[in-house]
Amino acid sequence: MKKIYKQLTVLILVNLIAVSSYSQYNNAFIIKIIGNNYSDETVIRMVNGATQGFDGMYDAWKLISPNPNVPSIFTQIIPGQILSINALPEFTEDKSVTLYTNIPVSGSYTVEIDEVYALSANYKVSFTDMSTNSHTRIMGDTSLTFNLTAQQYTATFNFNISSPLVTTVTNETCTAMNDGSL
């Protein structure tokens, strides 16, 4: 019984360390594709210190299932360099991240978008099906259904992030004119 408590304590400590080290990040989304009785997922997040390229501390390479019946969803840095976790820098302009899929069998697939860590309020997120150009605003956890054809390593969706709108307010002044004209 004492051994079980030690193992449980170690497991709780490991989970606590993992969660607390990951919880410093915000702006993280899990995008899952479900179909053909299987599922796969990818993560997109914005992290201070990340770059557009591969960052060993933040990104993870994608391992495609050897089972040919499993659908896959992922991002790419360049063709052939596919990611399961794609950490990007905080954006100062609007960006779209292309999501690629491997679809084993034509049919209906569900894409679930889960906001793991809340997006800063000044950003807006949307999702675009590239084949139909249908555009959906993402406001929290979202589930979308698509009819997809069998394909390999195909650009299928765009995950769009609209950056904060920067505004400048200038109060008008009247110089040597007190009649209100500008």
Side-chain angles (χ1 to χ4, degrees), residues 1-12:
M1 189 72 145
K2 199 173 193 179
K3 183 178 179 182
I4 293 172
Y5 285 125
K6 280 185 178 180
Q7 289 174 339
L8 186 58
T9 303
V10 169
L11 182 61
I12 290 170

Side-chain angles (χ1 to χ4, degrees), residues 36-180:
N36 202 31
N37 296 315
Y38 295 97
S39 67
D40 186 46
E41 61 187 37
T42 190
V43 176
I44 295 173
R45 62 187 181 168
M46 292 185 292
V47 179
N48 285 332
T51 67
Q52 298 285 348
F54 183 80
D55 300 303
M57 290 182 56
Y58 306 121
D59 295 322
W61 298 114
K62 180 72 168 189
L63 299 174
I64 301 294
S65 174
N67 182 339
N69 298 311
V70 176
S72 300
I73 190 164
F74 50 89
T75 61
Q76 288 191 85
I77 299 173
I78 59 173
Q81 291 188 348
I82 61 176
L83 297 177
S84 176
I85 300 174
N86 192 352
L88 301 163
E90 294 278 343
F91 292 132
T92 56
E93 59 187 41
D94 295 354
K95 292 283 184 181
S96 289
V97 178
T98 302
L99 295 165
Y100 296 81
T101 58
N102 288 341
I103 304 299
V105 177
S106 296
S108 179
Y109 289 82
T110 300
V111 174
E112 293 179 351
I113 303 166
D114 297 322
E115 194 172 15
V116 181
Y117 293 105
L119 186 70
S120 302
N122 53 353
Y123 287 99
K124 291 187 173 81
V125 175
S126 63
F127 194 77
T128 305
D129 175 359
M130 294 171 73
S131 67
T132 63
N133 204 28
S134 62
H135 194 69
T136 304
R137 174 93 187 270
I138 305 302
M139 297 168 59
D141 296 349
T142 303
S143 181
L144 305 165
T145 302
F146 301 94
N147 285 318
L148 300 173
T149 57
Q151 57 197 10
Q152 293 285 315
Y153 294 88
T154 303
T156 310
F157 305 109
N158 277 325
F159 186 76
N160 311 297
I161 302 169
S162 299
S163 59
L165 178 63
V166 178
T167 60
T168 305
V169 176
T170 304
N171 293 324
E172 294 299 326
T173 58
C174 298
T175 306
M177 300 171 88
N178 294 325
D179 63 0

